[in-house]
Amino acid sequence: MTSQPKAPLTPRDRWRNRAIAVTGLVTVWVLLWGTFSWANVISGLVVAAVLLVVFPLPPVTFAGRIRPVPLLRFLARFMRDLVVASVQIAWLAVRSKHPHSAIIAVPLRVNTDLNLTLNAEALSLVPGSLILEADRNTGTLYVHVIGIRSLDEVERFRRDVLELEGRIVAAVGSAEELDLIRRSAPTGPSGSVELEGAPT
């Protein structure tokens, strides 16, 4: 089955995509600084403009739509995860000098550049997890996670990532992507894992 060629982007689509890109970049910039201020917002706008001009990205069509209620649910859960993960990492640092960790491959169900980017950014901003690689061909994220001691915890982390993907798609995904998420619930182990610091 051959895919239909994509229609060229209209000027309105280009402006909308640029606005979404700038909003996302400024949000990440402010989160990285950890303080909301006009100085951080303005400097984020400057950085976003420079990045979009100097390093132009290929056009990514935003086929979904923003849903306010699921978006608020995503933001509320994201803030909760930030607090919980920060406490867990702080406790882990006090309790163990050499915490266990793992590199976990998580194949996402919606294989688009936008979905891959949003999930990677959300995971990287939560303490204890860091994106090492994102495979665009398979839609797989390779995540370094601190505090993983068993394969059960590996699978729990994978389920958490897929739930995160579901919340993101519910907030900004298309109807087709939502349907794909509903039809492809995880049923068992998937991807690969490399445990670090575990006894052999």
Side-chain angles (χ1 to χ4, degrees):
M1 180 179 178
T2 59
S3 59
Q4 297 294 329
K6 294 181 180 180
L9 296 178
T10 65
R12 180 181 177 182
D13 290 335
R14 292 192 187 96
W15 278 108
R16 182 185 63 175
N17 290 348
R18 287 170 185 162
I20 293 173
V22 168
T23 302
L25 289 170
V26 172
T27 301
V28 171
W29 179 263
V30 173
L31 288 173
L32 287 174
W33 278 102
T35 304
F36 180 83
S37 66
W38 284 113
N40 285 339
V41 172
I42 294 172
S43 62
L45 287 171
V46 173
V47 170
V50 170
L51 287 175
L52 292 178
V53 171
V54 178
F55 305 104
L57 298 173
V60 177
T61 302
F62 178 64
R65 70 186 188 88
I66 297 176
R67 301 175 183 86
V69 174
L71 181 59
L72 289 175
R73 289 174 182 162
F74 163 74
L75 293 175
R77 177 59 185 270
F78 180 70
M79 297 305 297
R80 171 188 174 275
D81 289 344
L82 281 178
V83 174
V84 171
S86 299
V87 173
Q88 289 174 340
I89 293 300
W91 172 245
L92 190 64
V94 173
R95 186 184 63 179
S96 175
K97 293 183 179 179
H98 303 287
H100 293 75
S101 61
I103 298 173
I104 306 174
V106 186
L108 300 181
R109 291 163 289 182
V110 177
N111 188 5
T112 64
D113 288 345
L114 181 60
N115 187 59
L116 204 65
T117 301
L118 291 177
N119 279 274
E121 292 289 352
L123 285 171
S124 293
L125 289 171
V126 174
S129 59
L130 177 67
I131 300 297
L132 298 180
E133 184 181 352
D135 190 334
R136 294 178 62 194
N137 294 326
T138 62
T140 301
L141 294 176
Y142 294 87
V143 194
H144 183 269
V145 189
I146 297 176
I148 297 293
R149 301 178 61 89
S150 67
L151 292 178
D152 288 339
E153 292 180 348
V154 169
E155 291 307 318
R156 189 180 307 121
F157 177 80
R158 283 203 183 101
R159 288 194 299 271
D160 289 344
V161 174
L162 294 179
E163 289 174 2
L164 169 66
E165 180 191 21
R167 291 192 293 272
I168 289 176
V169 171
V172 298
S174 65
E176 292 79 8
E177 292 169 347
L178 273 172
D179 185 59
L180 178 61
I181 291 292
R182 295 190 185 105
R183 289 187 290 106
S184 56
T187 56
S190 61
S192 60
V193 59
E194 177 183 340
L195 292 173
E196 299 177 346
T200 56

